[in-house]
């Protein structure tokens, strides 16, 4: 697994790199946002450890640009910051970060979070299955999802890795109601350390991409006081 470290404090960057290399990960480092984007465009990464306050472009802008054009890989993003206020965490997650870690942190916690993020893709691997509903076709092996609305031509959905995993989880379990904890266990794994409300953030992002009217969802429904479920007629 290739990890890109974006951190402008040399001591912290070195600590992260040494800790990850001891665990067998391949690492590259950048101390500013613009250079990080160039490095990612030249060679994609499986995961990016991204400091919020970096020169050039800050972490929020780097995260947003990568999510807009992920390239060959759509990496997991673990955001670092010295700030602990809730609003900073929410902003970071809303731009597309998968997890959020406040400095100072221990190398053990960092490794646990990295492994938890990278484990997500493994939870969806090894399945040669295609799921169909009236409006969607999910190919697990090819990792593609297409949508056809009314009499329009089918379109391939441009989803992040997490959005694909989230929607394929819903479609492969039609009618099931999922609470936040169950979705976190399914998508993040046992070592999730973040706020459960990250689920709401990613549901909102998914709805913007698949719903005709995200403010009045047709497919991903909220079950008040419980969680979420997917509704669509069975495919033919």
């Amino acid at each position: 697994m290739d990890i890109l470290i974006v951190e402008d404090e040399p001591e912290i960057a070195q600590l992260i790199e040494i800790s990850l290399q001891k665990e067998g990960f391949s690492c590259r480092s950048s101390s500013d946002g613009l250079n990080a984007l160039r490095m990612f465009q030249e060679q994609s990464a499986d995961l990016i450890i991204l400091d919020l306050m970096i020169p050039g472009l800050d972490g929020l802008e780097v995260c947003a640009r990568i999510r807009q054009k992920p390239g060959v890989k759509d990496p997991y993003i673990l955001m670092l910051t010295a700030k602990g206020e809730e609003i900073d965490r929410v902003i970071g997650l809303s731009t597309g970060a998968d997890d959020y870690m406040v400095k100072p942190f221990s190398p053990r916690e960092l490794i646990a979070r990295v492994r938890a993020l990278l484990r997500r893709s493994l939870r969806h691997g090894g399945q040669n299955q295609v799921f169909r509903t009236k409006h969607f076709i999910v190919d697990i092996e090819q990792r593609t999802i297409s949508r056809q609305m009314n009499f329009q031509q089918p379109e391939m959905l441009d989803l992040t890795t997490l959005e694909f995993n989230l929607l394929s989880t819903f479609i492969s379990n039609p009618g099931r109601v999922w609470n936040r904890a169950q979705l976190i266990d399914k998508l993040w794994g046992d070592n999730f350390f973040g706020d459960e409300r990250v689920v709401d953030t990613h549901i909102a992002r998914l709805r913007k991409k698949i719903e005709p009217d995200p403010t009045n969802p047709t497919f991903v429904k909220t079950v008040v006081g419980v969680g979420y479920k997917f509704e669509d007629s069975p495919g033919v």
Side-chain angles (χ1 to χ4, degrees):
M1 292 291 184
D2 180 55
I3 298 178
L4 176 59
I5 303 164
V6 189
E7 169 62 64
D8 65 327
E9 297 184 46
E11 296 82 3
I12 295 178
Q14 185 177 33
L15 173 64
I16 293 172
E17 187 166 356
I18 291 174
S19 300
L20 292 171
Q21 287 177 341
K22 284 182 178 179
E23 298 296 319
F25 294 106
S26 173
C27 301
R28 296 173 289 143
S29 297
S30 174
S31 59
D32 72 84
L34 284 171
N35 185 57
L37 282 177
R38 284 194 292 266
M39 291 177 66
F40 179 75
Q41 290 164 358
E42 292 170 359
Q43 179 183 337
S44 298
D46 296 289
L47 183 143
I48 300 175
I49 297 176
L50 179 61
D51 187 34
L52 182 63
M53 301 301 293
I54 49 177
L57 292 175
D58 66 25
L60 294 178
E61 183 63 24
V62 172
C63 182
R65 292 194 187 189
I66 287 175
R67 287 300 185 229
Q68 290 167 3
K69 296 181 179 180
V72 178
K73 296 179 182 178
D74 182 21
Y76 295 113
I77 297 178
L78 172 60
M79 191 164 282
L80 304 178
T81 181
K83 299 180 180 179
E85 292 83 359
E86 180 181 0
I87 187 62
D88 297 307
R89 181 168 63 250
V90 171
I91 291 173
L93 295 172
S94 68
T95 60
D98 297 289
D99 200 358
Y100 188 101
M101 200 166 175
V102 179
K103 301 176 186 177
F105 53 83
S106 70
R108 180 176 296 181
E109 180 185 5
L110 174 70
I111 296 300
R113 292 199 184 209
V114 166
R115 291 198 180 282
L117 287 171
L118 293 176
R119 192 180 297 124
R120 294 187 202 175
S121 59
L122 301 179
R123 286 174 169 254
H124 291 264
Q127 302 180 69
N128 185 14
Q129 294 179 295
V130 175
F131 298 94
R132 299 174 184 268
T133 68
K134 181 178 179 180
H135 296 97
F136 297 90
I137 300 177
V138 179
D139 189 320
I140 298 296
E141 183 177 16
Q142 298 296 322
R143 295 192 66 79
T144 60
I145 300 181
S146 63
R147 181 189 67 171
Q148 183 173 16
M149 298 301 296
N150 300 325
F151 299 103
Q152 300 175 7
Q153 290 295 317
E155 60 173 330
M156 300 302 296
L157 296 176
D158 183 16
L159 303 178
T160 67
T161 300
L162 180 59
E163 290 163 354
F164 175 89
N165 291 345
L166 182 57
L167 184 55
S168 61
T169 295
F170 280 135
I171 291 178
S172 60
N173 296 272
R176 173 175 173 174
V177 179
W178 298 80
N179 61 36
R180 292 188 184 99
Q182 290 168 333
L183 288 171
I184 286 172
D185 180 65
K186 180 73 173 176
L187 301 174
W188 276 266
D190 300 329
N191 294 320
F192 178 77
F193 293 91
D195 191 320
E196 280 194 350
R197 284 173 295 179
V198 68
V199 172
D200 303 334
T201 298
H202 289 292
I203 291 288
R205 290 170 61 87
L206 178 63
R207 281 172 170 165
K208 289 181 180 179
K209 294 186 178 181
I210 72 169
E211 299 283 1
D213 178 8
T215 62
N216 185 28
T218 301
F219 305 117
V220 180
K221 301 279 193 173
T222 299
V223 181
V224 178
V226 183
Y228 300 96
K229 69 175 180 177
F230 179 84
E231 290 185 351
D232 195 16
S233 302
V236 295

